[in-house]
Amino acid sequence: LQYRSPMGRRHNRPQGHPRCGWIGHSCVHECSHSRVPLGRVPDVSVFSKVLVANRGEIAVRVLQTLQAMGISTAVVYSDPDSNAPHVTLADEALALGGSTAEETYLDRRKIIDLALRCNAEAVHPGYGFLSENPDFSRECAEAGLVFIGPAPETIALLGDKIRSKETAVQAG
């Protein structure tokens, strides 16, 4: 109890301005803010199907979130993972054919081909594996798929510690 948040639970938090939803905002004129109010999601078009290119707990969490959003899901799996939780949870499971990481979850071409074959509009790399690979992000875009993650240039920049520190210093 000593370390709990000073804000309290969600229902105890301030509701914000009645017109624009900003907390701590007290305007008396018509609100004309270009930013989205805290706690509200802007109207965006979502994907109808996303391929999750990962395995295990990471894939399960991504799948649960996508399904909660009403998005159809597809996963890839290696031969040893054929009965894994992420395979049974997904709407569609696609075999990568192989057992090592190099011949399955790290095979960029296989994953992109399977994403196109199942009519996915986007690929979520999860964590690790291909999420830090700028070439995979670039190849997804070239194939007409949305890579759910940073741009290839950002991945490459953050992969170089010296350049990323210099960029952070320049940004202030």
Side-chain angles (χ1 to χ4, degrees):
L1 293 175
Q2 181 179 3
Y3 298 107
R4 73 176 185 202
S5 170
M7 290 293 288
R9 295 196 177 272
R10 182 170 297 201
H11 64 273
N12 293 332
R13 293 183 185 164
Q15 297 301 309
H17 189 268
R19 284 197 180 157
C20 64
W22 284 22
I23 294 175
H25 180 66
S26 58
C27 65
V28 293
H29 59 282
E30 186 65 34
C31 298
S32 59
H33 305 290
S34 60
R35 296 191 306 190
V36 176
L38 183 65
R40 294 190 189 150
V41 177
D43 291 331
V44 294
S45 62
V46 293
F47 308 109
S48 60
K49 186 183 242 181
V50 173
L51 179 119
V52 178
N54 213 299
R55 59 186 292 270
E57 182 64 23
I58 296 300
V60 168
R61 288 177 183 240
V62 173
L63 289 169
Q64 288 171 337
T65 301
L66 290 169
Q67 290 171 345
M69 295 171 68
I71 299 172
S72 179
T73 59
V75 293
V76 292
Y77 65 92
S78 65
D79 294 341
D81 290 336
S82 61
N83 294 319
H86 76 284
V87 176
T88 57
L89 182 63
D91 298 322
E92 185 176 354
L94 308 161
L96 287 165
S99 57
T100 65
E102 290 78 23
E103 59 189 11
T104 55
Y105 298 103
L106 292 173
D107 190 336
R108 302 186 312 252
R109 190 73 250 156
K110 259 187 206 179
I111 292 171
I112 290 172
D113 288 343
L114 289 172
L116 293 171
R117 191 175 340 152
C118 76
N119 296 318
E121 298 166 330
V123 175
H124 192 299
Y127 180 81
F129 285 128
L130 296 172
S131 66
E132 299 170 8
N133 188 322
D135 294 331
F136 182 62
S137 175
R138 192 173 297 108
E139 290 168 6
C140 283
E142 290 168 358
L145 297 166
V146 174
F147 178 81
I148 300 176
E153 299 79 21
T154 306
I155 297 171
L157 174 67
L158 294 177
D160 183 344
K161 289 186 180 187
I162 294 171
R163 279 185 47 218
S164 63
K165 285 181 183 179
E166 290 171 351
T167 302
V169 168
Q170 289 174 357

